[in-house]
Protein backbone atom coordinates (compact mmCIF):
# COMPACT_ATOMS: atom_id res chain seq x y z
CA UNK A 1 0.00 0.00 0.00
CA UNK A 2 0.92 3.63 -0.39
CA UNK A 3 3.28 5.02 2.22
CA UNK A 4 2.71 8.59 1.06
CA UNK A 5 -0.82 9.69 0.37
CA UNK A 6 -1.66 12.78 -1.61
CA UNK A 7 -5.09 14.34 -1.77
CA UNK A 8 -6.99 15.33 -3.82
CA UNK A 9 -5.96 13.35 -6.87
CA UNK A 10 -7.86 15.68 -9.16
CA UNK A 11 -9.26 19.14 -8.54
CA UNK A 12 -10.89 21.75 -10.69
CA UNK A 13 -11.13 25.27 -9.36
CA UNK A 14 -12.15 28.66 -10.63
CA UNK A 15 -9.67 31.40 -11.41
CA UNK A 16 -8.98 33.52 -8.39
CA UNK A 17 -9.73 30.87 -5.82
CA UNK A 18 -7.27 28.94 -3.69
CA UNK A 19 -6.79 25.21 -3.56
CA UNK A 20 -5.01 23.09 -0.98
CA UNK A 21 -3.20 19.84 -1.69
CA UNK A 22 -2.23 17.54 1.18
CA UNK A 23 0.69 15.16 1.37
CA UNK A 24 0.73 12.66 4.23
CA UNK A 25 3.33 10.12 5.18
CA UNK A 26 1.44 7.10 6.47
CA UNK A 27 4.02 4.76 7.95
CA UNK A 28 6.86 7.02 8.93
CA UNK A 29 7.75 10.46 10.13
CA UNK A 30 8.97 12.62 7.29
CA UNK A 31 11.27 15.37 8.45
CA UNK A 32 11.52 16.58 4.88
CA UNK A 33 8.98 16.65 2.11
CA UNK A 34 9.39 17.93 -1.41
CA UNK A 35 6.90 19.47 -3.81
CA UNK A 36 7.28 19.10 -7.54
CA UNK A 37 5.38 20.45 -10.48
CA UNK A 38 5.16 18.68 -13.81
CA UNK A 39 3.81 19.90 -17.14
CA UNK A 40 2.69 17.36 -19.74
CA UNK A 41 5.53 15.28 -21.17
CA UNK A 42 8.10 17.21 -19.17
CA UNK A 43 10.22 16.41 -16.18
CA UNK A 44 9.48 17.01 -12.54
CA UNK A 45 10.53 20.46 -11.42
CA UNK A 46 11.30 20.91 -7.75
CA UNK A 47 9.26 23.75 -6.34
CA UNK A 48 10.22 23.70 -2.69
CA UNK A 49 11.63 21.72 0.18
CA UNK A 50 9.36 21.52 3.18
CA UNK A 51 10.91 20.99 6.61
CA UNK A 52 8.77 20.20 9.61
CA UNK A 53 8.43 23.15 11.93
CA UNK A 54 10.27 25.64 9.77
CA UNK A 55 9.72 27.69 6.65
CA UNK A 56 9.90 26.00 3.31
CA UNK A 57 12.86 26.56 1.04
CA UNK A 58 11.69 27.61 -2.40
CA UNK A 59 13.51 27.07 -5.64
CA UNK A 60 14.47 30.05 -7.73
CA UNK A 61 11.54 31.38 -9.72
CA UNK A 62 8.85 29.86 -7.51
CA UNK A 63 6.63 32.49 -5.91
CA UNK A 64 6.41 31.75 -2.20
CA UNK A 65 3.34 33.94 -1.78
CA UNK A 66 1.52 32.07 -4.49
CA UNK A 67 2.51 28.55 -3.51
CA UNK A 68 2.16 28.40 0.25
CA UNK A 69 3.74 25.38 1.87
CA UNK A 70 3.09 24.34 5.43
CA UNK A 71 4.70 21.38 7.19
CA UNK A 72 3.01 21.53 10.54
CA UNK A 73 3.65 17.95 11.60
CA UNK A 74 6.01 15.11 10.81
CA UNK A 75 3.36 13.42 8.72
CA UNK A 76 1.68 16.25 6.86
CA UNK A 77 2.73 18.90 4.40
CA UNK A 78 0.30 21.05 2.46
CA UNK A 79 0.66 23.07 -0.72
CA UNK A 80 -1.85 25.87 -1.22
CA UNK A 81 -2.09 27.46 -4.63
CA UNK A 82 -3.45 30.92 -3.95
CA UNK A 83 -5.38 33.07 -6.41
CA UNK A 84 -5.10 30.33 -8.98
CA UNK A 85 -4.83 31.13 -12.66
CA UNK A 86 -5.21 28.83 -15.66
CA UNK A 87 -1.43 28.78 -16.08
CA UNK A 88 -1.20 27.11 -12.66
CA UNK A 89 -2.94 24.09 -14.16
CA UNK A 90 -0.45 21.28 -13.81
CA UNK A 91 0.38 18.00 -12.11
CA UNK A 92 1.69 18.50 -8.58
CA UNK A 93 3.41 15.67 -6.77
CA UNK A 94 5.01 15.40 -3.38
CA UNK A 95 7.69 13.13 -2.06
CA UNK A 96 8.81 12.37 1.45
CA UNK A 97 12.20 11.42 2.77
CA UNK A 98 13.16 9.74 5.99
CA UNK A 99 16.32 11.78 5.74
CA UNK A 100 18.74 8.95 5.15
CA UNK A 101 18.77 9.13 1.37
CA UNK A 102 19.07 5.42 0.69
CA UNK A 103 17.36 3.79 -2.23
CA UNK A 104 14.08 2.80 -0.68
CA UNK A 105 13.47 5.71 1.65
CA UNK A 106 12.12 8.22 -0.82
CA UNK A 107 8.42 7.87 -1.42
CA UNK A 108 6.13 9.71 -3.78
CA UNK A 109 2.50 10.57 -3.38
CA UNK A 110 0.04 9.70 -6.10
CA UNK A 111 0.08 13.23 -7.47
CA UNK A 112 -2.64 15.83 -7.93
CA UNK A 113 -3.97 17.07 -11.23
CA UNK A 114 -5.00 20.71 -10.89
CA UNK A 115 -7.15 22.38 -13.52
CA UNK A 116 -7.95 26.06 -13.15
CA UNK A 117 -10.88 27.25 -15.24
CA UNK B 1 26.52 21.58 -10.62
CA UNK B 2 24.41 18.46 -10.27
CA UNK B 3 22.74 17.32 -13.42
CA UNK B 4 21.07 14.34 -15.02
CA UNK B 5 20.99 13.96 -18.80
CA UNK B 6 18.64 11.68 -20.68
CA UNK B 7 19.27 12.11 -24.39
CA UNK B 8 16.52 9.88 -25.74
CA UNK B 9 13.16 11.65 -25.81
CA UNK B 10 11.49 8.52 -27.17
CA UNK B 11 12.36 4.88 -27.60
CA UNK B 12 10.46 2.15 -29.43
CA UNK B 13 10.83 -1.55 -28.80
CA UNK B 14 8.95 -4.71 -29.64
CA UNK B 15 7.55 -7.01 -27.03
CA UNK B 16 10.02 -9.50 -25.59
CA UNK B 17 13.03 -7.51 -26.75
CA UNK B 18 15.48 -5.80 -24.42
CA UNK B 19 15.88 -2.04 -24.37
CA UNK B 20 18.45 0.30 -22.86
CA UNK B 21 17.52 3.76 -21.65
CA UNK B 22 20.48 6.08 -21.35
CA UNK B 23 21.34 8.29 -18.40
CA UNK B 24 24.45 10.28 -17.64
CA UNK B 25 25.00 12.38 -14.58
CA UNK B 26 27.24 15.06 -13.24
CA UNK B 27 28.05 15.59 -9.60
CA UNK B 28 31.03 16.52 -7.52
CA UNK B 29 29.68 14.77 -4.43
CA UNK B 30 31.55 11.58 -3.56
CA UNK B 31 28.40 9.95 -2.20
CA UNK B 32 25.23 9.85 -4.20
CA UNK B 33 22.46 7.59 -5.31
CA UNK B 34 20.98 7.01 -8.72
CA UNK B 35 17.35 6.09 -9.23
CA UNK B 36 15.10 5.08 -12.06
CA UNK B 37 11.37 5.71 -11.93
CA UNK B 38 8.56 4.71 -14.25
CA UNK B 39 5.69 7.12 -14.74
CA UNK B 40 2.62 5.77 -16.54
CA UNK B 41 -0.07 8.10 -17.86
CA UNK B 42 -1.78 8.07 -14.45
CA UNK B 43 1.10 10.16 -13.14
CA UNK B 44 2.26 8.02 -10.24
CA UNK B 45 5.99 7.64 -9.84
CA UNK B 46 6.93 3.99 -9.60
CA UNK B 47 10.35 3.25 -8.14
CA UNK B 48 12.25 0.72 -10.25
CA UNK B 49 15.84 0.47 -9.15
CA UNK B 50 18.55 2.15 -7.10
CA UNK B 51 22.34 2.26 -7.35
CA UNK B 52 24.57 3.73 -4.70
CA UNK B 53 27.79 5.38 -5.75
CA UNK B 54 29.84 2.99 -3.64
CA UNK B 55 27.99 -0.16 -4.67
CA UNK B 56 30.40 -2.55 -6.31
CA UNK B 57 27.81 -4.54 -8.15
CA UNK B 58 25.30 -3.30 -10.69
CA UNK B 59 21.79 -3.23 -9.26
CA UNK B 60 19.17 -5.64 -10.55
CA UNK B 61 15.46 -5.90 -9.79
CA UNK B 62 13.65 -8.56 -11.77
CA UNK B 63 13.61 -7.48 -15.42
CA UNK B 64 15.38 -4.24 -14.60
CA UNK B 65 19.11 -3.83 -14.33
CA UNK B 66 21.24 -0.76 -14.02
CA UNK B 67 24.44 -0.60 -16.02
CA UNK B 68 26.51 1.59 -13.73
CA UNK B 69 29.76 2.90 -15.16
CA UNK B 70 31.11 5.27 -12.57
CA UNK B 71 34.11 6.50 -14.53
CA UNK B 72 31.85 7.43 -17.41
CA UNK B 73 29.20 8.79 -15.04
CA UNK B 74 26.53 6.76 -16.70
CA UNK B 75 23.65 4.77 -15.20
CA UNK B 76 21.73 3.19 -18.04
CA UNK B 77 18.57 1.22 -17.36
CA UNK B 78 18.19 -2.10 -19.13
CA UNK B 79 14.74 -3.62 -19.38
CA UNK B 80 14.81 -7.22 -20.51
CA UNK B 81 11.89 -8.98 -22.22
CA UNK B 82 9.80 -5.84 -22.71
CA UNK B 83 6.08 -6.04 -22.07
CA UNK B 84 3.25 -3.88 -23.34
CA UNK B 85 2.76 -2.61 -19.81
CA UNK B 86 6.26 -1.16 -19.85
CA UNK B 87 5.07 1.66 -22.11
CA UNK B 88 5.51 4.77 -19.98
CA UNK B 89 7.82 7.65 -19.27
CA UNK B 90 11.06 6.75 -17.51
CA UNK B 91 13.06 9.12 -15.38
CA UNK B 92 16.61 8.84 -14.15
CA UNK B 93 17.28 10.78 -10.96
CA UNK B 94 20.29 11.72 -8.87
CA UNK B 95 20.23 12.08 -5.12
CA UNK B 96 23.16 13.70 -3.36
CA UNK B 97 23.31 11.82 -0.10
CA UNK B 98 23.38 14.81 2.22
CA UNK B 99 20.34 14.74 4.47
CA UNK B 100 17.29 16.59 3.23
CA UNK B 101 18.30 16.98 -0.40
CA UNK B 102 15.88 16.48 -3.24
CA UNK B 103 16.05 14.18 -6.22
CA UNK B 104 17.33 15.78 -9.41
CA UNK B 105 15.51 14.44 -12.43
CA UNK B 106 16.43 14.06 -16.05
CA UNK B 107 14.02 15.07 -18.81
CA UNK B 108 12.75 11.57 -19.19
CA UNK B 109 12.41 9.03 -21.97
CA UNK B 110 9.08 7.88 -23.33
CA UNK B 111 9.18 4.16 -24.00
CA UNK B 112 6.67 2.63 -26.38
CA UNK B 113 6.38 -1.15 -26.53
CA UNK B 114 4.56 -2.66 -29.49
CA UNK B 115 3.28 -6.16 -30.10
Amino acid sequence: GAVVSQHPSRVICKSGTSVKIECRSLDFQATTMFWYRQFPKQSLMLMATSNEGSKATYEQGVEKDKFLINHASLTLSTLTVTSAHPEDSSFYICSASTGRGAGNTIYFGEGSWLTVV
Amino acid sequence: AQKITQTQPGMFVQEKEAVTLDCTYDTSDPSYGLFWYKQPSSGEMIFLIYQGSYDQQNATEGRYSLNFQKARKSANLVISASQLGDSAMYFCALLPLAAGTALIFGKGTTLSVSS
Side-chain angles (χ1 to χ4, degrees):
Chain A
V3 293
V4 174
S5 176
Q6 192 171 336
H7 178 82
S9 56
R10 290 184 182 274
V11 58
I12 300 172
C13 71
K14 290 186 175 179
S15 284
T17 63
S18 296
V19 61
K20 181 185 285 187
I21 301 169
E22 294 186 347
C23 180
R24 293 182 184 272
S25 58
L26 302 179
D27 300 333
F28 64 99
Q29 294 182 328
T31 53
T32 306
M33 290 185 174
F34 304 95
W35 287 95
Y36 294 86
R37 182 176 184 177
Q38 186 182 27
F39 291 109
K41 301 199 182 298
Q42 293 190 23
S43 187
L44 282 74
M45 290 172 33
L46 179 67
M47 297 176 69
T49 300
S50 172
N51 296 299
E52 186 268 336
S54 63
K55 289 184 179 179
T57 304
Y58 289 81
E59 294 299 298
Q60 195 172 8
V62 177
E63 299 175 60
K64 60 182 70 175
D65 294 331
K66 180 164 187 62
F67 298 100
L68 299 178
I69 290 170
N70 185 280
H71 194 155
S73 77
L74 284 170
T75 59
L76 175 64
S77 176
T78 60
L79 167 68
T80 302
V81 182
T82 63
S83 187
H85 288 145
E87 56 264 32
D88 298 327
S89 299
S90 187
F91 183 67
Y92 294 87
I93 191 166
C94 69
S95 73
S97 167
T98 59
R100 289 190 292 275
N104 58 358
T105 57
I106 296 177
Y107 306 102
F108 280 87
E110 301 94 329
S112 300
W113 297 93
L114 170 63
T115 302
V116 184
V117 297
Chain B
Q2 325 245 31
K3 190 178 177 182
I4 286 278
T5 302
Q6 292 180 257
T7 57
Q8 307 154 314
M11 287 288 283
F12 297 87
V13 69
Q14 287 215 306
E15 251 185 316
K16 300 179 186 176
E17 291 184 350
V19 63
T20 298
L21 306 184
D22 294 342
C23 173
T24 57
Y25 62 92
D26 192 15
T27 180
S28 54
D29 286 353
S31 297
Y32 52 89
L34 293 155
F35 296 71
W36 276 94
Y37 288 89
K38 172 184 178 182
Q39 188 181 42
S41 57
S42 60
E44 60 180 316
M45 293 292 283
I46 302 170
F47 166 76
L48 297 179
I49 198 166
Y50 168 82
Q51 181 85 42
S53 57
Y54 289 117
D55 293 343
Q56 297 294 319
Q57 306 242 347
N58 285 349
T60 60
E61 290 283 351
R63 294 186 299 113
Y64 304 107
S65 60
L66 199 152
N67 184 358
F68 181 47
Q69 297 191 37
K70 195 170 181 178
R72 293 186 178 182
K73 294 192 173 179
S74 75
N76 298 340
L77 176 71
V78 180
I79 305 174
S80 62
S82 297
Q83 302 171 356
L84 294 177
D86 293 335
S87 294
M89 197 143 182
Y90 288 78
F91 290 100
C92 181
L94 169 70
L95 180 70
L97 288 180
T101 50
L103 284 166
I104 300 162
F105 285 91
K107 291 187 175 182
T109 296
T110 301
L111 176 65
S112 301
V113 182
S114 59
S115 56

